[in-house]
């Protein structure tokens, strides 16, 4: 059996009166992430971790922000497409561990739904999806609520 790990990172600018989607969950907040798709920073970091582990480049290579097909698209679809790319190469996903860094809103109440959304999209058990959140202690662009960051690691395997 061959096992690989991958690391993903994403950052998005926050804008007033803009939708805020994280982990496929629409969060009620006065600011939201801005981007070409729905700007789901968590799912983008997970996509990059998976693609990196399989040596399939990165999310921007497969889903260019200049391509109108991806404009405003749900990042759940991008994650599903990422999984298809891995499956074409014979990879199976073992687990995902992710960290969000933002000042607000509080993420903890939404983690079970995020886990369920991700587990369904990639076809693994909810118990194999870990999501954590922290603040930046009001420092830097995250502390000023100018942006949101996500990190993710994953394990993939093939027989």
């Amino acid at each position: 059996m061959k096992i690989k790990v991958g690391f993903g990172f994403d950052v998005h600018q926050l804008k007033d009166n803009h939708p805020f989607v994280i982990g496929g969950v629409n969060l009620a907040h006065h600011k939201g992430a801005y981007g070409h798709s729905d700007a789901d920073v968590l799912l983008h970091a997970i996509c990059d971790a998976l693609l990196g582990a399989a040596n399939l480049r990165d999310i921007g290579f497969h889903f260019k922000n200049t391509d109108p097909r991806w404009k405003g698209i749900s990042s759940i679809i991008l994650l599903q497409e990422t999984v298809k790319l891995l499956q074409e190469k014979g990879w199976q996903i073992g687990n995902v561990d992710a960290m969000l860094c933002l000042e607000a809103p509080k993420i903890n109440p939404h983690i079970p739904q995020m886990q369920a959304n991700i587990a369904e999209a990639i076809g693994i058990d909810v118990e194999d999806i870990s999501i954590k959140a922290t603040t930046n202690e009001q420092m830097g662009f995250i502390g000023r609520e100018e942006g949101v960051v996500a990190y993710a690691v994953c394990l993939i395997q093939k027989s």
Side-chain angles (χ1 to χ4, degrees):
M1 174 179 288
K2 188 169 197 169
I3 297 173
K4 289 188 173 189
V5 296
F7 172 76
F9 165 84
D10 197 41
V11 61
H12 279 280
Q13 183 180 21
L14 294 176
K15 292 194 174 194
D16 287 326
N17 303 312
H18 199 76
F20 203 0
V21 180
I22 298 181
V25 176
N26 290 304
L27 303 177
H29 194 57
H30 64 95
K31 288 188 173 186
Y34 178 78
H36 185 70
S37 66
D38 64 1
D40 190 325
V41 68
L42 176 60
L43 298 187
H44 294 181
I46 292 170
C47 286
D48 265 346
L50 293 168
L51 291 166
N55 196 19
L56 293 173
R57 311 257 327 236
D58 60 37
I59 191 171
F61 179 80
H62 294 280
F63 312 108
K64 294 177 180 18
N65 65 3
T66 56
D67 188 333
R69 287 182 300 164
W70 312 123
K71 179 73 175 159
I73 198 165
S74 166
S75 293
I76 291 284
I77 294 171
L78 300 181
L79 181 57
Q80 291 168 332
E81 292 298 313
T82 296
V83 171
K84 287 179 189 174
L85 291 169
L86 268 70
Q87 289 172 339
E88 288 171 6
K89 299 290 185 181
W91 291 105
Q92 295 177 320
I93 300 164
N95 76 304
V96 172
D97 183 20
M99 171 67 78
L100 289 160
C101 190
L102 69 165
E103 293 300 316
K106 294 294 183 191
I107 298 301
N108 192 48
H110 306 286
I111 288 176
Q113 186 61 56
M114 292 176 186
Q115 289 173 300
N117 293 346
I118 295 164
E120 182 179 344
I122 63 178
I124 64 175
D125 292 335
V126 171
E127 293 79 24
D128 295 323
I129 307 290
S130 171
I131 301 170
K132 302 164 307 288
T134 190
T135 69
N136 213 43
E137 299 294 332
Q138 300 179 339
M139 296 182 293
F141 74 89
I142 296 168
R144 292 187 300 270
E145 291 192 54
E146 296 170 1
V148 57
V149 170
Y151 304 91
V153 294
C154 68
L155 180 134
I156 62 173
Q157 57 201 12
K158 79 164 72 165
S159 299

